[in-house]
Amino acid sequence: MLVILAMHYFILSTLFDLPRDITIYDSVFSTVILTFSIWGIILLVRAYPTIVAITVYALFVALFVSSVTVFAQYEVLKLWLHEPAYEQYRTWLSSTLPVRFLAVWIFCTWVGTISAFRKNLAALDSRFQQQVDASALLKEAELFKLRQQLQPHFLYNSLNSINALIMIAPGRAQEMIGKLSDFLRSSVKRESDDMIPIADELSYIRSYLAIESVRFGDRLQVLFQQQDTDHASVPPFLLQPLLENAIKFGLYGNTGAVQIAVNIAMNGGMLQLSITNPYDPDMQPPRGTGFGLKGVQRRLYLLYARNDLLETHKDGSIFTTILKIPQQYVQSNTDRR
């Protein structure tokens, strides 16, 4: 407002050569009234209940407030400078009302449209934030659903095996129940974690494989090779469905021992896990095989917005699954160096 006051004073004193006292009165009163008018425009635009046709509403408000402002300026100045000595100024004031109205209307219109634009922008930001929050909740819900689908699938198989072992090998059934209890307890503890150290994931996987070993005995052999991955981290419950898939492909229709190789290493900024298992290309896989791969693929997309983090390759009788997990700590360590 100080800028408007200075401009008003400069125009009256330079262009119209008015006396100093009249220039001061006119500038101060006009600027104060205009200030209240601008404040009123902003409040009226903010109080508008919607953003539909808000620009048109702001233009009408600016027109109305401009008329009231000029009228108030005229009445206040005429009342304040009512002495006969100011008769010539009052005549001049009446003649300049159209010009005053035009200047005030242009400024009020600018203020009104800016206020309408800001209200529109705030509404769009709010709507965008609501959509972002809804998308985040939907993503979290889908991730939770995918994680929950994995455990029942494995649990059903384990319970069926326990049921079969109760009559023929009660000791093994009891052992499997104990391992299953420990496994499920550790699953609950990890449920709320977004990322966990690779060592914790491998400990969890070994508990899972201990249960599977009770089911399949010496037929199941899983070899781990790990190279310089102590600081790596992975989303929990991501490796289990891949191993479950490898066990199904490798053991289905096979009566002998099956060896599954798990290689874990860093490749650039990625933690790369490679799972290799034998399979019979002519053998029809068991019903439900492949759910784990699809679930992992979807989880990776939701977590990293990428579709190239899971690969599968078939080479004769060997099936290979390659999982890649981006590692944030690699970039931070590079920056510190």
Side-chain angles (χ1 to χ4, degrees):
M1 287 298 115
L2 292 177
V3 175
I4 296 176
L5 176 63
M7 291 178 60
H8 197 101
Y9 181 88
F10 175 80
I11 292 173
L12 293 181
S13 61
T14 304
L15 298 182
F16 297 99
D17 197 24
L18 294 178
R20 184 177 180 182
D21 59 336
I22 294 178
T23 302
I24 292 175
Y25 292 144
D26 194 324
S27 301
V28 171
F29 284 122
S30 297
T31 303
V32 169
I33 294 172
L34 182 60
T35 301
F36 282 104
S37 300
I38 292 172
W39 182 59
I41 291 174
I42 294 174
L43 291 180
L44 288 171
V45 172
R46 286 180 179 177
Y48 190 66
T50 180
I51 61 172
V52 178
I54 190 173
T55 303
V56 177
Y57 169 78
L59 293 176
F60 277 110
V61 168
L63 180 62
F64 173 76
V65 172
S66 299
S67 303
V68 173
T69 301
V70 174
F71 177 78
Q73 290 175 348
Y74 174 72
E75 292 296 329
V76 170
L77 288 170
K78 187 173 68 171
L79 181 64
W80 185 264
L81 302 172
H82 63 279
E83 293 87 351
Y86 297 113
E87 180 65 30
Q88 185 177 358
Y89 166 74
R90 291 195 296 271
T91 302
W92 174 85
L93 180 63
S94 299
S95 66
T96 59
L97 287 180
V99 177
R100 286 174 179 267
F101 173 77
L102 181 62
V104 171
W105 175 73
I106 291 175
F107 187 75
C108 288
T109 299
W110 178 76
V111 172
T113 52
I114 289 296
S115 299
F117 174 76
R118 293 183 64 180
K119 187 177 178 68
N120 259 322
L121 187 61
L124 290 175
D125 285 343
S126 177
R127 188 179 304 171
F128 176 75
Q129 188 60 45
Q130 289 176 356
Q131 292 178 347
V132 169
D133 292 342
S135 298
L137 289 174
L138 182 62
K139 172 183 172 181
E140 187 65 28
E142 186 173 356
L143 281 170
F144 180 78
K145 178 182 177 182
L146 287 170
R147 288 164 65 164
Q148 294 304 307
Q149 284 177 330
L150 296 177
Q151 292 304 336
H153 188 257
F154 161 71
L155 185 59
Y156 296 152
N157 290 336
S158 299
L159 292 177
N160 286 333
S161 298
I162 292 172
N163 183 54
L165 290 172
I166 287 176
M167 298 301 296
I168 60 175
R172 292 178 61 193
Q174 184 177 5
E175 177 188 358
M176 191 170 182
I177 291 174
K179 292 181 181 296
L180 182 61
S181 176
D182 294 337
F183 177 79
L184 294 178
R185 187 180 298 111
S186 65
S187 299
V188 173
K189 292 180 180 179
R190 293 149 38 96
E191 186 61 42
S192 60
D193 296 330
D194 293 328
M195 298 290 289
I196 61 173
I198 184 62
D200 292 352
E201 178 71 3
L202 292 179
S203 177
Y204 175 81
I205 288 302
R206 289 188 174 93
S207 298
Y208 159 74
L209 291 175
I211 298 172
E212 294 292 67
S213 295
V214 177
R215 290 176 59 196
F216 298 108
D218 295 336
R219 294 179 56 212
L220 177 61
Q221 300 175 7
V222 182
L223 303 179
F224 287 89
Q225 291 184 343
Q226 187 175 358
Q227 304 172 7
D228 192 25
T229 59
D230 294 339
H231 300 289
S233 58
V234 296
F237 308 112
L238 204 59
L239 191 55
Q240 177 192 339
L242 300 183
L243 276 171
E244 187 174 356
N245 194 69
I247 292 172
K248 287 180 180 179
F249 269 104
L251 292 178
Y252 183 78
N254 194 331
T255 58
V258 171
Q259 190 174 89
I260 298 175
V262 180
N263 185 275
I264 308 170
M266 294 300 304
N267 185 6
M270 297 279 190
L271 174 68
Q272 183 167 303
L273 300 98
S274 176
I275 302 175
T276 303
N277 61 274
Y279 88 109
D280 186 351
D282 298 326
M283 184 68 67
Q284 182 68 26
R287 185 178 180 181
T289 297
F291 166 77
L293 295 180
K294 292 179 181 178
V296 170
Q297 181 75 44
R298 182 59 181 168
R299 281 188 64 193
L300 290 171
Y301 178 77
L302 291 173
L303 290 171
Y304 303 104
R306 295 178 59 174
N307 285 317
D308 60 338
L309 299 179
L310 183 65
E311 303 175 8
T312 57
H313 303 284
K314 299 177 181 178
D315 184 12
S317 61
I318 300 298
F319 188 89
T320 303
T321 303
I322 299 175
L323 173 66
K324 301 175 184 177
I325 305 297
Q327 298 297 298
Q328 296 179 355
Y329 83 93
V330 174
Q331 180 64 36
S332 61
N333 287 345
T334 302
D335 294 341
R336 284 195 291 269
R337 288 196 294 270

